[in-house]
C-alpha cells in the first residue's frame, strides 16, 4: 500500500510523521520504503540521520543512468529511503512526471510505501499524491491548518484521490490559564472531525523531543520506542 502524507500548510509535521511512522512500521515487521517527494527542499534524510545523498531520486527522475537499488539507503533492518538530492543543478534536470513510474517500480517487495511531498496545492504536491493509493492528511489542530485541510479535501475529491483520514500533529496540552481565559484557539478533536468529516487516525502530542530530535536526525521513536509519541504511532499503524 502506498500512502502520501499531505498538507497545504508547511511546518505541520509531514516529514517528522513520515520518518517516525516509517521507523515504527519497520519495528512492527513491515518492509517499508520512504520516498522523499519534497524535491526542492527534501530533508527526510536529515530526519533519519543520514548524510546528503548522491546519487538521489533526482537521478532517477532525469536521464542519468542510475538504478533504484543504487539510490536506496538502508535506514533500519526493514526501512529503506529514496532520498532527495542536494544539488540545485541536478534538481533542475528533474522531470516530475516520471515520479509515479519511479515510485511504482521502487515499491516492489515493500509492504508499505510512505511518500513525503512538499506542502501546497500545485503540481509538485499533486504528482506525489497521484503516485500513491491513498492520502494521509496532516494538520495541526488550529483553525487555519484545518481550513487548509478542508481545501485539500475538496481538491482530492475533484481529482478522485482517496483519503484514508487525518493525522492531527502538535496537539498542545492546555494550560490552566488558557482554559480559564479561553486564550487557546486550539480546536477539539470533535470540532476537527465535524469540519473535515474524515476519520482522525492519530493525535500526536506537541513534544519538544519529537521536534528537536527530529531536526537532529534522531527520531524520538528510535530513542524512546515505548513513549507516548510511539504509542500514538502504534495506534495509527493499527488503523492503516
Ligand atoms: P513539514 O514537513 O510538514 O513541513 P516538519 O516535519 O518539517 O513539517 O516539521 C516542522 C517542524 O516542527 C520541525 O522543526 C519539526 O521538528 C517540528 N515538529 C514536528 N512535529 C512535532 C511535534 N509533534 N512536536 C513538536 N515539534 C514538532
Ligand atoms: Mg516536509
Amino acid at each position: 500500500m502506498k500512502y502520501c502524507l499531505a498538507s497545504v500548510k508547511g511546518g505541520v509535521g509531514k516529514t517528522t510523521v513520515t520518518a517516525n511512522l516509517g521507523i515504527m512500521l519497520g519495528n512492527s515487521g513491515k518492509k517499508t520504503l520512504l520516498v522523499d517527494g519534497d524535491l526542492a527542499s527534501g530533508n527526510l534524510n536529515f530526519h533519519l540521520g543520514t548524510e546528503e545523498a548522491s546519487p538521489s531520486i533526482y537521478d532517477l527522475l532525469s536521464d542519468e543512468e542510475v538504478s533504484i537499488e543504487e539510490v536506496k539507503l538502508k535506514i533500519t533492518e526493514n526501512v529503506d529511503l529514496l532520498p532527495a538530492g542536494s544539488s540545485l543543478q541536478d534538481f533542475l534536470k528533474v522531470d516530475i512526471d516520471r515520479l509515479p513510474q519511479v515510485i511504482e517500480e521502487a515499491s516492489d517487495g515493500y509492504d508499505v510505501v510512505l511518500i513525503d511531498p512538499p506542502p501546497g496545492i500545485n503540481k509538485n504536491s499533486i504528482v506525489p499524491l497521484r503516485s500513491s493509493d491513498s492520502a494521509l492528511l496532516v494538520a495541526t489542530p488550529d483553525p487555519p491548518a484545518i481550513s487548509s485541510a478542508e481545501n485539500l479535501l475538496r481538491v482530492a475529491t475533484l481529482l478522485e484521490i482517496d483519503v484514508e483520514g487525518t493525522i492531527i500533529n502538535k496537539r498542545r496540552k492546555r494550560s490552566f490559564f488558557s482554559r480559564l481565559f479561553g486564550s487557546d484557539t486550539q480546536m477539539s478533536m470533535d470540532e476537527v472531525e465535524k469540519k473535515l468529516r474524515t476519520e482522525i487516525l492519530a493525535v500526536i502530542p506537541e513534544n519538544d523531543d519529537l521536534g528537536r530530535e527530529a531536526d537532529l536526525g534522531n527520531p524520538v521513536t528510535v530513542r524512546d520506542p515505548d513513549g507516548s509519541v510511539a504509542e500514538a504511532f502504534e495506534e495509527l499503524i493499527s488503523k492503516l
Side-chain angles (χ1 to χ4, degrees):
M1 185 74 176
K2 300 194 283 291
Y3 295 104
C4 184
L5 287 286
S7 76
V8 180
K9 283 178 82 70
V12 295
K14 285 179 303 304
T15 304
T16 308
V17 169
T18 305
N20 284 281
L21 178 58
I23 296 288
M24 293 295 290
L25 280 164
N27 289 354
S28 74
K30 301 262 190 236
K31 288 283 291 168
T32 305
L33 177 68
L34 308 180
V35 180
D36 200 335
D38 187 352
L39 299 175
S41 65
N43 48 20
L44 202 43
N45 55 332
F46 291 120
H47 281 246
L48 292 162
T50 58
E51 296 297 313
E52 285 180 358
S54 181
S56 74
I57 199 166
Y58 293 168
D59 301 296
L60 297 172
L61 299 172
S62 59
D63 285 325
E64 298 300 322
E65 297 276 317
V66 169
S67 73
I68 288 169
E69 286 309 314
E70 285 172 88
V71 173
K72 264 189 219 163
L73 296 176
K74 194 166 186 61
I75 303 298
T76 66
E77 192 193 337
N78 286 328
V79 181
D80 293 333
L81 167 68
L82 271 190
S86 53
S87 146
L88 180 62
Q89 238 173 348
D90 292 346
F91 167 68
L92 292 174
K93 291 185 211 149
V94 161
D95 174 4
I96 193 165
D97 289 325
R98 294 187 184 185
L99 190 67
Q101 182 61 29
V102 165
I103 291 180
E104 188 59 38
E105 279 173 33
S107 307
D108 196 35
Y110 290 93
D111 299 312
V112 183
V113 177
L114 298 179
I115 307 163
D116 180 28
I121 301 178
N122 51 51
K123 186 167 182 185
N124 288 348
S125 60
I126 297 291
V127 172
L129 264 177
R130 284 224 147 123
S131 310
S132 71
D133 303 311
S134 194
L136 300 171
L137 298 194
V138 183
T140 54
D142 301 290
I146 298 301
S147 157
S148 302
E150 268 186 293
N151 289 340
L152 189 53
L153 278 168
R154 281 191 209 110
V155 171
T157 307
L158 277 175
L159 299 177
E160 298 181 350
I161 292 168
D162 182 62
V163 176
E164 186 85 9
T166 305
I167 297 166
I168 296 296
N169 187 32
K170 301 195 193 182
R171 188 195 204 183
R172 297 184 293 280
K173 275 207 189 104
R174 287 188 136 190
S175 71
F176 172 75
F177 288 107
S178 68
R179 262 181 305 192
L180 190 65
F181 298 114
S183 57
D184 190 344
T185 56
Q186 178 167 251
M187 294 165 76
S188 74
M189 293 309 105
D190 277 352
E191 288 169 321
V192 170
E193 221 154 31
K194 223 180 259 166
K195 269 248 171 214
L196 298 182
R197 280 172 279 124
T198 61
E199 187 183 357
I200 296 179
L201 300 168
V203 181
I204 299 161
E206 183 167 63
N207 175 312
D208 283 349
D209 273 358
L210 185 59
R212 192 175 44 242
E213 298 292 324
D215 297 337
L216 292 174
N218 185 13
V220 68
T221 47
V222 171
R223 220 169 19 85
D224 189 10
D226 300 317
S228 64
V229 174
E231 210 173 275
F233 280 104
E234 257 161 28
E235 200 186 322
L236 171 58
I237 288 173
S238 74
K239 292 185 180 165
L240 295 181

